[in-house]
């Protein structure tokens, strides 16, 4: 099949494009053309590259037509963050595509009420990102069920892999947190360190997109989580990372307002977003309907990313 991937050179695309090429598909990679994939792979030599400024083309109403003209049997959208952009693309593709897959987020759930959270739980999103992604999901699923639009949504957790800094045990992306644990120094965590994060290796997300494509009949009109099968508490995560460096975690716990004063405003905001959501989502639906099970645990996925940070000298032993 001819598969068009929008946002092809990012976290997920780094692994998705080679899997699609290896699967024998004719792949069109759409991106801004401003960066290389996080990991090199020979498959990129067998891909048709299309450069597009999505924000500008969404703004002038031409992006949907641009994607239609690429004549994909399947379109995978990895970088849609606004309901209006999703509507424009879906309306342009209606009747012209066999399968449309959208990358969402587990943050569409908002606060967890029952864990592990399943895809059918009532959703209470908050924050602009979560609200927009939830609105996109509502629109696409309604269009699928009402009009037969062939949509599937994949909702990743904290995407992790070599080449970028994973969400750390303090709930932000400052590599200094990993260095503190590597050094055996004291690390302060907010509250009691019992909030959760739920990582997923980018290759497991890519695998789920492929599994949804390969099980189209089951996937149409459905949404699926893409996370490691278990979540981590901040405390447990910190203890595990310290152990990788032969250290015993020295942890302190501070009330939120005290803790936020110890870090930058940017780090505090990122941490707040993560611990306010504290995801712990189920992977049962993807396994039951698509035969998909993540290959990486949270710590295995994070370990690969930390190893790359060590190789790059971002953190040191």
């Amino acid at each position: 099949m001819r598969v068009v991937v929008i946002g092809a050179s990012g976290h997920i695309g780094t692994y998705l494009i080679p899997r699609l090429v290896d699967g024998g598909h004719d792949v069109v990679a759409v991106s801004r053309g401003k960066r290389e994939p996080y990991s090199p792979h020979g498959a990129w030599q067998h891909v048709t590259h299309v450069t597009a400024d999505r924000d500008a083309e969404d703004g002038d109403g031409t992006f949907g037509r641009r994607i239609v003209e690429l004549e994909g049997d399947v379109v995978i959208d990895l970088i849609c963050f606004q309901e209006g952009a999703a509507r424009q693309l879906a309306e342009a593709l209606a009747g012209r595509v066999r399968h449309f897959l959208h990358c969402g987020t587990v943050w569409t759930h908002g606060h967890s009420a029952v864990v592990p959270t399943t895809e059918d739980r009532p959703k209470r999103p908050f924050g602009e990102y979560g609200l927009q992604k939830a609105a996109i999901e509502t629109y696409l699923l309604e269009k699928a069920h009402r009009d037969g639009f062939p949509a599937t949504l994949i909702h990743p957790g904290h995407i992790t892999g070599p080449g970028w800094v994973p969400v750390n045990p303090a709930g932000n992306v400052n590599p200094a947190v990993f260095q503190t644990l590597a050094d055996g120094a004291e690390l302060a965590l907010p509250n009691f360190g019992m909030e959760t994060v739920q990582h997923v290796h980018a290759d497991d997300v890519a695998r789920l997109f492929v599994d949804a494509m390969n099980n189209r009949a089951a996937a149409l009109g459905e949404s699926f989580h893409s996370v490691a099968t278990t979540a981590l508490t901040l405390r447990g995560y910190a203890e595990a990372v310290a152990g990788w460096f032969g250290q015993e975690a020295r942890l302190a716990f501070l009330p939120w307002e005290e803790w936020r004063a110890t870090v930058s405003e940017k780090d505090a905001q990122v941490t707040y977003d993560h611990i306010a959501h504290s995801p712990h989502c189920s992977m049962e639906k993807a396994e039951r309907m698509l035969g998909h099970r993540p290959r990486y645990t949270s710590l295995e996925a994070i370990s690969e990313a930390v190893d790359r940070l060590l190789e790059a000298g971002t953190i040191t032993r």
Side-chain angles (χ1 to χ4, degrees):
M1 289 188 294
R2 185 171 173 86
V3 184
V4 176
V5 181
I6 304 168
S9 63
H11 297 148
I12 301 168
T14 292
Y15 294 91
L16 178 59
I17 297 300
R19 285 192 172 278
L20 292 171
V21 172
D22 290 347
H25 299 290
D26 175 16
V27 180
V28 181
V30 181
S31 71
R32 292 176 299 172
K34 294 185 177 180
R35 70 178 177 194
E36 296 295 317
Y38 287 91
S39 298
H41 195 286
W44 290 89
Q45 300 175 18
H46 306 285
V47 169
T48 300
H49 295 270
V50 173
T51 301
D53 183 338
R54 182 176 191 162
D55 289 341
E57 293 184 26
D58 273 337
D60 62 22
T62 62
F63 187 71
R65 185 169 67 252
R66 162 82 78 111
I67 299 303
V68 168
E69 290 172 352
L70 296 176
E71 299 183 329
D73 301 297
V74 176
V75 173
I76 300 176
D77 190 355
L78 301 177
I79 55 166
C80 182
F81 307 106
Q82 301 291 326
E83 182 185 0
R87 285 179 176 272
Q88 180 190 145
L89 183 57
E91 289 167 7
L93 290 171
R96 295 182 172 91
V97 69
R98 185 171 184 270
H99 200 176
F100 176 77
L101 297 99
H102 169 87
C103 185
T105 172
V106 296
W107 282 14
T108 59
H109 286 290
H111 301 291
S112 300
V114 176
V115 295
T117 304
T118 55
E119 288 87 343
D120 59 356
R121 292 293 303 172
K123 296 198 170 186
R124 298 174 293 174
F126 59 91
E128 182 65 15
Y129 178 64
L131 288 166
Q132 283 294 322
K133 282 293 198 178
I136 292 170
E137 178 178 33
T138 297
Y139 165 71
L140 288 175
L141 292 183
E142 286 182 353
K143 189 171 183 62
H145 298 154
R146 182 187 65 239
D147 303 332
F149 184 67
T152 298
L153 291 96
I154 306 296
H155 292 305
H158 310 318
I159 301 173
T160 303
W164 64 97
V165 181
V167 174
N168 63 40
N172 56 58
V173 291
N174 188 335
V177 170
F178 291 108
Q179 190 64 61
T180 296
L181 292 166
D183 293 341
E186 184 178 87
L187 176 67
L189 296 178
N191 304 319
F192 294 103
M194 294 304 292
E195 290 91 347
T196 57
V197 287
Q198 194 166 19
H199 296 73
V200 60
H201 196 289
D203 189 42
D204 275 331
V205 184
R207 287 179 54 244
L208 184 49
F209 273 99
V210 173
D211 287 343
M213 281 177 51
N214 291 340
N215 293 275
R216 175 180 176 275
L220 291 180
E222 300 288 348
S223 63
F224 300 92
H225 295 150
S226 184
V227 291
T229 53
T230 56
L232 297 169
T233 64
L234 300 186
R235 180 179 192 139
Y237 181 9
E239 290 169 348
V241 171
W244 294 344
F245 295 95
Q247 305 284 2
E248 184 173 344
R250 295 173 52 205
L251 304 177
F253 303 97
L254 300 174
W256 169 253
E257 290 300 332
E258 290 184 31
W259 182 85
R260 71 178 300 171
T262 69
V263 300
S264 70
E265 184 58 34
K266 177 182 177 181
D267 285 351
Q269 183 58 56
V270 174
T271 293
Y272 178 82
D273 284 342
H274 284 105
I275 68 175
H277 286 89
S278 283
H280 180 187
C281 295
S282 169
M283 285 300 296
E284 183 275 335
K285 181 179 179 181
E287 183 169 10
R288 170 171 47 85
M289 296 184 65
L290 305 178
H292 173 90
R293 186 173 178 82
R295 291 178 176 170
Y296 288 82
T297 67
S298 291
L299 289 175
E300 287 170 346
I302 296 161
S303 177
E304 278 199 7
V306 170
D307 285 346
R308 182 70 66 86
L309 294 177
L310 285 164
E311 291 172 11
T314 305
I315 56 177
T316 59
R317 291 186 181 277

